[in-house]
Amino acid sequence: INAEYGGIEDFEKAKKGSDYMGDVFVIFKVVTNVHEVESAIAYGVRSSEVWHRYSEFDLLYQYLLHTYPSHIIPPLPEKKISTNLWTKMTTDKFDGEYLEHRKIGLEKFMHRIASHPVLHKDIVFKAFLMKGEDWRAVADSTEFRAKAEGVLKGIQASYQ
């Protein structure tokens, strides 16, 4: 697929579950433009809009980190809000200013992957851009989690 990352256009609150105590979280809209005619026909779109939680960006980061150990993987913005005495940043994770700051950090992360000569071709990265929730199945098919656990066990064993 010949697709180009277009940016993170928006964010909004979402809720998991329908009861009063449902898990409330923020999702970010990732936009991708499809350039190749065959790819557009295969996916049925010329552009794609998918919504992802921060935890999904983190999973993509972990996948890239363990799949490409010899490459420098760009950092994600911090998950937790750090309270700094010198700034007036709120500690509310749903605050618009904070979310805009996170959105900018996620955009930097995505642009750096999209402009990387190797990472932008990765099938899991492309699935993240195009497939919405189904991208996790593509990531899991690579068995990267098992490989990561194997590396950790090897490190543990060398220190015992």
Side-chain angles (χ1 to χ4, degrees):
I1 181 171
N2 186 0
E4 177 182 294
Y5 166 69
I8 297 176
E9 288 191 353
D10 200 7
F11 54 84
E12 64 182 46
K13 283 186 195 179
K15 187 175 182 181
K16 185 179 185 179
S18 59
D19 63 343
Y20 176 74
M21 297 301 289
D23 185 22
V24 179
F25 50 88
V26 176
I27 53 177
F28 298 87
K29 181 167 55 170
V30 178
V31 177
T32 305
N33 302 310
V34 179
H35 296 295
E36 191 175 81
V37 175
E38 293 84 14
S39 296
I41 292 169
Y43 279 90
V45 294
R46 295 287 293 163
S47 66
S48 171
E49 295 178 354
V50 293
W51 293 86
H52 290 295
R53 297 175 70 164
Y54 178 89
S55 61
E56 293 176 285
F57 287 92
D58 186 48
L59 183 60
L60 175 63
Y61 172 79
Q62 294 300 323
Y63 162 80
L64 293 171
L65 195 64
H66 293 292
T67 304
Y68 299 96
S70 62
H71 291 77
I72 297 173
I73 307 303
L76 280 172
E78 294 292 324
K79 180 171 176 74
K80 299 287 184 195
I81 300 169
S82 59
T83 54
N84 185 340
L85 297 174
W86 303 106
T87 65
K88 295 181 181 177
M89 182 75 72
T90 180
T91 57
D92 178 10
K93 70 179 184 177
F94 299 115
D95 177 70
E97 183 181 345
Y98 167 71
L99 291 174
E100 188 62 36
H101 180 73
R102 177 176 274 181
K103 178 181 152 255
I104 290 167
L106 291 172
E107 280 186 322
K108 286 180 184 177
F109 170 73
M110 294 296 288
H111 276 294
R112 290 169 104 184
I113 294 170
S115 61
H116 191 282
V118 174
L119 302 180
H120 85 278
K121 297 175 187 176
D122 184 86
I123 190 167
V124 173
F125 177 63
K126 289 181 180 184
F128 185 86
L129 294 176
M130 301 293 294
K131 292 193 173 203
E133 294 177 18
D134 294 339
W135 81 274
R136 287 177 182 235
V138 177
D140 288 340
S141 72
T142 67
E143 299 181 358
F144 83 95
R145 293 179 207 227
K147 292 174 192 171
E149 287 175 11
V151 168
L152 290 175
K153 286 180 183 175
I155 292 171
Q156 261 183 338
S158 68
Y159 283 105
Q160 291 179 351

